[in-house]
Amino acid sequence: MHCSIIPPYMLRRLAAHREPELSDAARAAKEALHHVPSFQASRAVPGPGSHPGLREPRPAPPERTVYDAKFVEQLPGSAVRKEGEPPTGDPAADEAYDGLGHTHRLYAEAFDRNSIDGNGLHLEATVHYGRLYDNAFWDGRQMVFGDGDGQVFQRFTKSLSVIGHELAHGVTQYSAGLVYRNQAGALNESMSDVFGALVEQFVQQQPAAAAGWLIGEGLFTDQVQGTALRSLKAPGTAYDDDVLGKDPQPDSMDGYVHTSADNGGVHINSGIPNRAFYLVATTLGGNAWDAPGRIWYQTLTGGTLSPTATFGAFAKATAASAKELFGADSKEHDAVRSAWETVKVKLPGARRKPNS
């Protein structure tokens, strides 16, 4: 199960440029695109999961190892920092180590989960993968980070939300196992964006109202007109650049993109459930990892979500989780239903608006 942070449509656009000043970026994008077919083949079916009925042990401290691939595409590389060892002085290695720890802490403290698989999985990451490699990915076992091309993308360990996003693919792999195609695939991507944003907010102890709700903030060089790869708050506004084009994400079903590319638009249409979570979090206020995070986490890991879930099925499941956790007449249940109505995902039994 390979899941990468940079969508193939973004890489293809970058690879097509012929300007001398973008030669490194175009070459790096072409190299990253070589991996896309194998990624998509491996992601089209669910990865190995944990039986939802198994009782998870109590969270234990993280066990981390960071490796250095030394600019070749071989894994895992040479171990450069193990659990409890001091910083290496290499920003990529130390950012990866810290990011693994921050993500582990969110799941342990907010959701009582013992690592990515729920059973104490050792967290491993490889940095300096390939030369000017334009991506970061979860390969079903570990994290892998490229250094970026230096013209469009900086090193991928710079963004904590990217680290949290990719590790969340592991959580999905070991729980609902959402297939990586069409609406289920867009939900897979959205779950990673949601928990990637939550890792960043949790570390900063930042309430929902103060958060930026961006995925990949800080990845772009100053040559790019954009703030991040995606925005949960306002899908479609993260970047608008001559080289990369405009962020194509819709913010409701009115803009849903029907396409066979990108495994049925998994990176594009994820903007719809992303905005639904943002609306729930900001409607309820406080910390997004509290009630909103608990609702989304229970939906993902509770054992009732189908691997081929549609947006409608997922909306129904989140409403059921909110009802179970907080009650049918709770503000949490109302916020969930209202959010899905706003992004125009039909929810069975939704209340009719006046004069509708």
Side-chain angles (χ1 to χ4, degrees):
M1 183 178 182
H2 290 72
C3 299
S4 57
I5 192 70
I6 304 299
Y9 57 79
M10 185 179 283
L11 293 173
R12 290 191 188 99
R13 184 177 177 102
L14 186 54
H17 282 273
R18 298 290 181 266
E19 297 90 336
E21 63 271 20
L22 290 171
S23 59
D24 286 345
R27 185 166 57 251
K30 289 175 185 176
E31 178 64 25
L33 277 169
H34 288 320
H35 291 176
V36 169
S38 61
F39 286 173
Q40 292 183 336
S42 64
R43 292 181 303 193
V45 295
S50 298
H51 190 284
L54 292 177
R55 182 175 177 82
E56 295 181 353
R58 298 286 296 178
E63 287 292 334
R64 294 166 282 183
T65 303
V66 178
Y67 301 88
D68 186 346
K70 299 180 180 178
F71 312 113
V72 298
E73 295 183 11
Q74 294 181 358
L75 297 174
S78 303
V80 292
R81 189 174 179 187
K82 296 184 178 181
E83 187 63 41
E85 292 182 347
T88 65
D90 174 0
D94 295 332
E95 287 164 352
Y97 181 89
D98 291 343
L100 295 178
H102 291 321
T103 304
H104 183 281
R105 188 161 65 88
L106 169 74
Y107 288 110
E109 296 183 13
F111 309 120
D112 203 31
R113 185 178 184 86
N114 188 19
S115 192
I116 298 307
D117 67 343
N119 290 288
L121 183 71
H122 189 125
L123 300 179
E124 299 182 343
T126 294
V127 298
H128 304 307
Y129 179 80
R131 190 166 295 279
L132 305 181
Y133 187 73
D134 266 349
N135 229 326
F137 60 90
W138 165 261
D139 76 349
R141 297 172 300 277
Q142 69 160 93
M143 282 296 310
V144 183
F145 299 98
D147 289 321
D149 54 66
Q151 294 176 331
V152 173
F153 296 110
Q154 303 188 71
R155 67 179 183 273
F156 283 81
T157 54
K158 286 193 72 172
S159 172
L160 179 56
S161 62
V162 166
I163 298 174
H165 170 105
E166 292 302 326
L167 287 171
H169 279 303
V171 177
T172 297
Q173 171 186 329
Y174 284 103
S175 54
L178 292 164
V179 300
Y180 206 74
R181 183 170 295 280
N182 300 327
Q183 290 191 10
L187 288 169
N188 192 317
E189 275 297 315
S190 178
M191 296 304 290
S192 281
D193 278 354
V194 164
F195 287 101
L198 291 185
V199 171
E200 210 162 59
Q201 293 173 28
F202 185 75
V203 168
Q204 298 175 16
Q205 289 295 291
Q206 190 175 53
W213 295 97
L214 297 171
I215 301 299
E217 186 176 17
L219 281 188
F220 292 142
T221 68
D222 57 11
Q223 299 178 51
V224 178
Q225 297 298 309
T227 55
L229 298 174
R230 290 182 287 280
S231 168
L232 284 77
K233 178 179 181 179
T237 67
Y239 59 89
D240 189 355
D241 181 71
D242 290 343
V243 173
L244 294 177
K246 188 180 185 306
D247 179 0
Q249 283 202 314
D251 65 0
S252 80
M253 290 300 290
D254 284 345
Y256 186 88
V257 178
H258 296 274
T259 178
S260 60
D262 188 29
N263 270 26
V266 298
H267 287 93
I268 296 176
N269 291 315
S270 57
I272 298 168
N274 276 359
R275 184 167 178 243
F277 181 82
Y278 162 80
L279 290 169
V280 172
T282 52
T283 296
L284 293 176
N287 299 321
W289 60 85
D290 288 333
R294 287 178 61 197
I295 293 167
W296 255 243
Y297 178 78
Q298 175 163 304
T299 302
L300 179 65
T301 63
T304 61
L305 193 66
S306 167
T308 57
T310 62
F311 287 177
F314 184 78
K316 181 179 179 180
T318 56
S321 293
K323 180 179 178 180
E324 180 181 342
L325 290 169
F326 301 103
D329 297 323
S330 65
K331 62 181 181 181
E332 290 83 2
H333 188 237
D334 287 344
V336 168
R337 296 181 68 88
S338 176
W340 290 114
E341 290 170 8
T342 299
V343 301
K344 301 188 178 179
V345 171
K346 292 182 179 179
L347 190 62
R351 289 162 295 188
R352 293 175 60 84
K353 295 179 180 179
N355 303 320
S356 63

